[in-house]
Amino acid sequence: MKKVLVIGCPGAGKSTFAHKLSEKTGLPLYNLDMIWHKADRTTISAEEFDTTLSEIMNKDQWILDGNYLRTMPLRLEKADTAFFFDLPLDVCLSGAIERLGKERVDMPWKDDVLDDEFRQWIMDFPKKQLPAINQLLESYSGNIIRFTTRREADKFINVLYMKKSVPDKDKVFPNPNIPSLCYIKNVIKNPRIIVGDYTYYDDVDGADRFEEHVTHFYEFIGDRLIIGNFCAIAKGVTFVMNGANHRMDCATTYPFYIMGGDWGGIIAPVMNELPLKGDTVIGNDVWIGQNVTIMPGVHIGDGAIIGTNATIASDIPPYSIAVGNPARVIRQRFDDETIELLERLQWWNKPIEEIDALMPILTTPDIESMKSAITEYLRLEDSECESL
């Protein structure tokens, strides 16, 4: 990608994207509006514009931002990549209004009002400009990247030119410098243990032997252990499954029937006579401390923290801290409003590229800043969903 066009309706975010793309790639950026318009709001002649454009296109590298339908066929002939902002009309109108009163790198002046002529030009874009652009793109032999939301454009910048190396979720040991840390999804063999991406077990005595810490896990009972994404599980954890439960409605809880000999003839209880508690479910982004015991059928909510040596015998709400034996909730990690925002965000279910882009929000200790950023993120997400 060396010769790039950025086209689409005004207000869609073309110039902002072109500026970011130039910063990331090092390709020189040329805004066609800056070439065509003078600071006194007059324009150069078409001949001058064509000469300048020709000089730019003869260079080895460039980004050309702007539509200018008359010269678009020439630019498409030279370009190897075309980014097309095909956003809804209401989004483009809102974008044009939002930039009023702001200095712009793509225009030699600052607009304080959206004049009627330009508003109408945007309103007419779907009928007068869009069909011609689509027709030109149909015969274009280069690479076309079409954005229908601004989030798609932002994701392209974050993903394609991301400088970071994201850990491979499919590796057993993601960091060779920490051999005690294992992505346990990649070593599980029992199909009734379901573990999400990036969830790890840390144990110097063999983190890849996580299944040994799931006890009384009998196939005939059929219960499951379900662990979400991005959980951190420390050494010595024990998941006690339903096979550990004994019948409790008789004079004795002793299981004579499994001991063999003549005792083996004693009638074993049927499934509905056992105190079975169902699946054990650990949410997402849960931190479980060392030597924790988790009893059958427990549900631990997203974002919870379980203290060292705790025994969890009842459900733990999302974003709560639980300690002790039996464990009790000592406090919530955040206020109700913040917890609701985090549960709406569900960052752990997003594509890893989007999670990487969210990392500054997810890792800041400034809770008010985090809340503001998540609120704005969700607002943009909702508005884009409504426009689709």
Side-chain angles (χ1 to χ4, degrees), residues 69 117 120-135:
L69 201 55
E117 182 181 354
Q120 191 60 48
W121 199 95
I122 295 175
M123 295 289 291
D124 290 340
F125 185 88
K127 293 181 179 179
K128 295 186 176 180
Q129 299 283 321
L130 188 57
I133 292 174
N134 280 327
Q135 187 174 1

Side-chain angles (χ1 to χ4, degrees), residues 70-144:
R70 180 181 65 85
T71 62
M72 192 175 291
L74 295 174
R75 285 176 280 134
L76 285 170
E77 187 178 329
K78 295 280 189 178
D80 55 51
T81 305
F83 291 94
F84 179 30
F85 278 69
D86 191 11
L87 274 61
L89 180 60
D90 61 329
V91 174
C92 297
L93 275 171
S94 296
I97 293 170
E98 287 172 3
R99 68 191 185 192
L100 293 175
K102 299 176 182 178
E103 298 290 343
R104 294 169 52 189
V105 297
D106 59 319
M107 285 291 283
W109 63 74
K110 179 178 69 175
D111 283 318
D112 293 318
V113 295
L114 186 65
D115 64 71
D116 293 340
E117 182 181 354
F118 187 50
R119 180 190 292 272
Q120 191 60 48
W121 199 95
I122 295 175
M123 295 289 291
D124 290 340
F125 185 88
K127 293 181 179 179
K128 295 186 176 180
Q129 299 283 321
L130 188 57
I133 292 174
N134 280 327
Q135 187 174 1
L136 287 171
L137 292 177
E138 284 178 7
S139 58
Y140 175 57
S141 59
N143 184 28
I144 301 172

Side-chain angles (χ1 to χ4, degrees), residues 29-38 42-45 48-53 56 64-65 68 106-108:
L29 171 62
Y30 303 93
N31 301 105
L32 296 184
D33 280 337
M34 289 292 286
I35 298 171
W36 175 245
H37 294 285
K38 297 180 181 180
T42 61
T43 66
I44 63 174
S45 67
E48 290 176 293
F49 180 85
D50 292 350
T51 299
T52 302
L53 182 60
I56 294 170
L64 287 170
D65 163 42
Y68 290 79
D106 59 319
M107 285 291 283

Side-chain angles (χ1 to χ4, degrees), residues 28 40 54 56 89 94 116 144 183 188 190-191 193 208 234 254 259 264-265 279 336 346 348 350 363 368:
D40 62 1
S54 179
I56 294 170
L89 180 60
S94 296
D116 293 340
I144 301 172
Y183 282 162
I188 296 298
N190 192 316
I193 301 177
D208 55 343
Y254 192 83
M259 295 304 160
D279 295 336
D336 290 340
Q346 294 189 18
W348 46 79
K350 298 186 181 301
T363 58
E368 291 305 315

Side-chain angles (χ1 to χ4, degrees), residues 77 118 151-152 223 315 357 362 377:
E77 187 178 329
F118 187 50
R151 188 174 298 278
E152 290 175 353
D223 53 345
D315 293 350
L362 299 176
Y377 181 94

Side-chain angles (χ1 to χ4, degrees), residues 241-256:
M241 303 304 287
N242 283 281
N245 284 324
H246 294 197
R247 189 170 182 177
M248 300 171 62
D249 56 354
C250 301
T252 179
T253 61
Y254 192 83
F256 291 100

Side-chain angles (χ1 to χ4, degrees), residues 217-228:
F217 200 33
Y218 305 130
E219 187 173 351
F220 71 91
I221 293 180
D223 53 345
R224 300 178 299 169
L225 171 60
I226 302 170
I227 305 175

Side-chain angles (χ1 to χ4, degrees), residues 271-311:
M271 291 289 285
N272 62 8
E273 293 175 334
L274 291 170
L276 302 180
K277 303 298 180 71
D279 295 336
T280 299
V281 181
I282 313 300
N284 305 278
D285 191 23
V286 174
W287 177 20
I288 300 174
Q290 284 194 359
N291 303 316
V292 167
T293 299
I294 298 175
M295 301 302 287
V298 163
H299 287 214
I300 299 177
D302 299 325
I305 297 175
I306 310 301
T308 295
N309 297 317
T311 296

